[in-house]
Amino acid sequence: MAEPLRIALAGLGTVGTGVIRLIETNAELIARRAGRPIAITSVSARDRSKDRGVDLSPYAWEDDLTSMASRGDVDVVVELVGGSDGPALTLARNTIAGGKALVTANKAMVAHHGLELARRAEDAGVALKFEAAVAGGIPVIKGLSEGAAANAIDRVYGILNGTCNYILSTMEDTGRDFADVLSEAQMLGYAEADPTFDIEGVDAAHKLAILASIGFGARLDFASVDTAGISRILAADIAQAAALGFVIRLIGMAELESADGSCRLFQRVQPHLVPVDHPLAHVDGATNAVVAEGNFMGRLLFQGAGAGDGPTASAVVADIIDIARGEKGATFSMPVSELEEMPRAQSGHRRGRNYIRFIVPDKPGVLAEITAAMRDADVSIESLIQKGRAEAGGEVLLAMVTHEGPESAVTRALELLDGSDSLAQPPLVMTIVGK
Amino acid sequence: MAEPLRIALAGLGTVGTGVIRLIETNAELIARRAGRPIAITSVSARDRSKDRGVDLSPYAWEDDLTSMASRGDVDVVVELVGGSDGPALTLARNTIAGGKALVTANKAMVAHHGLELARRAEDAGVALKFEAAVAGGIPVIKGLSEGAAANAIDRVYGILNGTCNYILSTMEDTGRDFADVLSEAQMLGYAEADPTFDIEGVDAAHKLAILASIGFGARLDFASVDTAGISRILAADIAQAAALGFVIRLIGMAELESADGSCRLFQRVQPHLVPVDHPLAHVDGATNAVVAEGNFMGRLLFQGAGAGDGPTASAVVADIIDIARGEKGATFSMPVSELEEMPRAQSGHRRGRNYIRFIVPDKPGVLAEITAAMRDADVSIESLIQKGRAEAGGEVLLAMVTHEGPESAVTRALELLDGSDSLAQPPLVMTIVGK
């Protein structure tokens, strides 16, 4: 058998220790599949003394993780430190500059610096891989960049954040409110102490920007992802949605808008209403799922565990096995120079159905003012439910679903209502996922 | 840009013409992704004069398809002729012997001769790829052999035949009987004039044997797939299943049975009862779906179009792009010599819940005889429904669901009843898919 592929592991959190456990547990099988053994040679983390439940004595310890990049006994550096900049980025640059392959699970770093790193990797002739950065254990980077490579893809969307999906599906199952379910999720370890990146959609936006780049052959553009989170969703929204035949999911949606021979890139993370007969409506708990629509393959769905040490380690080691097999590939499915620069699409161009929820004072004339604004902006209302809220004295919930129409009309209607004392708080708009 | 990769296309049915259309339509995008253009140089089929809706004039015509293998202007032969032996197999052998890569969509040939061809390809140092042989446009071969490569997989199962799934989900939606829906499916082109391979489970068995080999690192063993089709399923079975919270799907199920340090291979295609909250319960129409369970990634689901010219062409061209990128890979995810020879597992070792349906004469004592047989064989009954059949004078349907127990007990119970005049026809057993 060929020489082992030598791995340096930077970062020994749950994923890092998961990678060690995986490589140790499945060593023989991995060697058969990779054609050579995978050997961890050195590890690094902030705290050497911490008990991580794995025996680190077989591996050299490196106090300064960025110096992993210059070790002579390393072929691949696995970066599991996290953070878009700082030590992770320094390590990534040094690794590539040192002529070593880089595997990372760091979505923030890839979303912010992916093109720069990919160009450096191309110049150095080394592999840069990040399957674990998107949707945990689901091989969706490989699925898009290789499995679906023959297709022009014009839509990639999915459930990309397990924490949000856990919270939403628990709200759905129990009828409880957001804040209540969030604190339980934090206690159970399903949500971070500071959950902002998850619940405000930033984590999903990182992943969406990566998927859009690979799917569309577009230059990665995280800055133009329009992002909204789930913290404003009420138990009552979920109940209204259910009554109308929908569930609520945080969905990252990327679309290619072709017009006048050029392409624009639409990227948005926001809560959506998903029809109960859509495959994404059955994705519960911390599960992730990604849908890609191609001009020949039709609709393809990948579903699996979106987080956790085991699934994420599975994706990290899949990248390592690819490298051991000599399959380097282009980082974003094509060389950076081939990626198309696409301007941001205006969401107003999109047509669709929307759910709009208002919290309004319980007084005469409110309904007339809101429906007049809809009429004046040419928003056609398909259904409307007004419902008293037991917990909020004097305020009622008003939920409507629009007929299909331009999003710009909904925006205009809400502008007409802006500042009106008919609204007790800003309205919440959620797009309905089409067929 | 590098030299084009030159393709010979053998077989110009719907998939072959789909491949031509795809390569022409997406040429520019494919070249960006593959790093070089894909150029069809020659084509071959039985009938040159037939109008296929694509212009064949840019391509050299070869009357004898097996001679594609020796053309000087070809790097990859794409075999879309079909049939496990005959011209397809000759072409495959000649292609590899001629030092060319082979891409095929031929599940029957791979199921019967895959190991031989893979060994030949290894010896010749050429690629042999067959993504399109399993589950049409879904990149499940790549998903298992690369995406899930870090995992010990102990279970692979799924909906592998679009024709059966179309028939079953239409029976479910309309309450109509099998024969009725089959003839409609034939009229609509969803089922072949001779549908035997599809409805008797042979096509699904071909695909299952391929998935099991790749998933488990086992030597492909099509002969030991236990196969039953859907032709005996009644509208009443579907109604009973629905009343109990299940749908009926034809499922190919492969499991690795580890005992005493050695592994046995369980492979079975048969109709199963699927709980309505299982992801496979929502796979309708001609859609395919495959689930793989790994020791680190957990449960992974791939879902998409299982047949049709576009999706199948998408998989064929994905293989071609891999070859253009220089990613050869091992045909069954590891060299043939590394694949483990696994004896067939006895289904009697399995434990599970089963649905058993009897058609019995409407006379006293029948129920007593059947329940006594269950008792004597130690089969514990969870629920039982007896229902008159309007259409069959004097016969009634008796459906039961067992508690979890060994399959051998069910077999023993049915042996006790074998030949009894309490049974108007042989009973139908369907396993219930577990969580």
Side-chain angles (χ1 to χ4, degrees), chain B residues 49-110:
Chain B
S49 60
K50 188 173 168 186
D51 179 11
R52 297 177 169 88
V54 291
D55 177 15
L56 298 176
S57 64
Y59 315 121
W61 179 271
E62 191 77 63
D63 275 319
D64 172 16
L65 67 92
T66 62
S67 64
M68 306 287 257
S70 47
R71 287 183 67 98
D73 61 355
V74 169
D75 304 305
V76 183
V77 171
V78 177
E79 184 278 305
L80 301 170
V81 181
S84 61
D85 296 85
L89 185 59
T90 305
L91 174 63
R93 287 178 178 149
N94 291 357
T95 298
I96 294 166
K100 294 175 172 53
L102 179 71
V103 171
T104 176
N106 188 333
K107 47 220 119 188
M109 182 176 77
V110 176

Side-chain angles (χ1 to χ4, degrees), chain B residues 63-236:
Chain B
D63 275 319
D64 172 16
L65 67 92
T66 62
S67 64
M68 306 287 257
S70 47
R71 287 183 67 98
D73 61 355
V74 169
D75 304 305
V76 183
V77 171
V78 177
E79 184 278 305
L80 301 170
V81 181
S84 61
D85 296 85
L89 185 59
T90 305
L91 174 63
R93 287 178 178 149
N94 291 357
T95 298
I96 294 166
K100 294 175 172 53
L102 179 71
V103 171
T104 176
N106 188 333
K107 47 220 119 188
M109 182 176 77
V110 176
H112 286 280
H113 304 289
L115 290 184
E116 176 215 311
L117 294 174
R119 202 180 291 104
R120 286 175 189 256
E122 281 170 25
D123 292 346
V126 299
L128 164 59
K129 290 184 162 280
F130 44 75
E131 184 64 79
V134 180
I138 311 173
V140 63
I141 300 285
K142 183 175 281 288
L144 285 185
S145 59
E146 302 176 24
N151 292 269
I153 292 173
D154 59 9
R155 205 169 178 216
V156 181
Y157 60 106
I159 293 172
L160 300 171
N161 184 276
T163 303
C164 288
N165 211 59
Y166 172 82
I167 292 174
L168 290 174
S169 58
T170 305
M171 287 173 71
E172 188 180 303
D173 291 345
T174 61
R176 284 153 57 200
D177 257 318
F178 172 78
D180 184 20
V181 176
L182 172 61
S183 26
E184 188 192 69
Q186 287 173 310
M187 262 171 23
L188 294 169
Y190 294 154
E192 311 262 351
D194 177 0
T196 315
F197 262 40
D198 288 317
I199 65 171
E200 294 307 336
V202 180
D203 174 78
H206 287 150
K207 296 166 181 168
L208 183 68
I210 298 169
L211 290 178
S213 173
I214 292 172
F216 305 152
R219 287 175 65 86
L220 194 149
D221 185 6
F222 169 67
S224 77
V225 185
D226 193 1
T227 305
I230 62 166
S231 54
R232 295 186 56 218
I233 294 173
L234 304 173

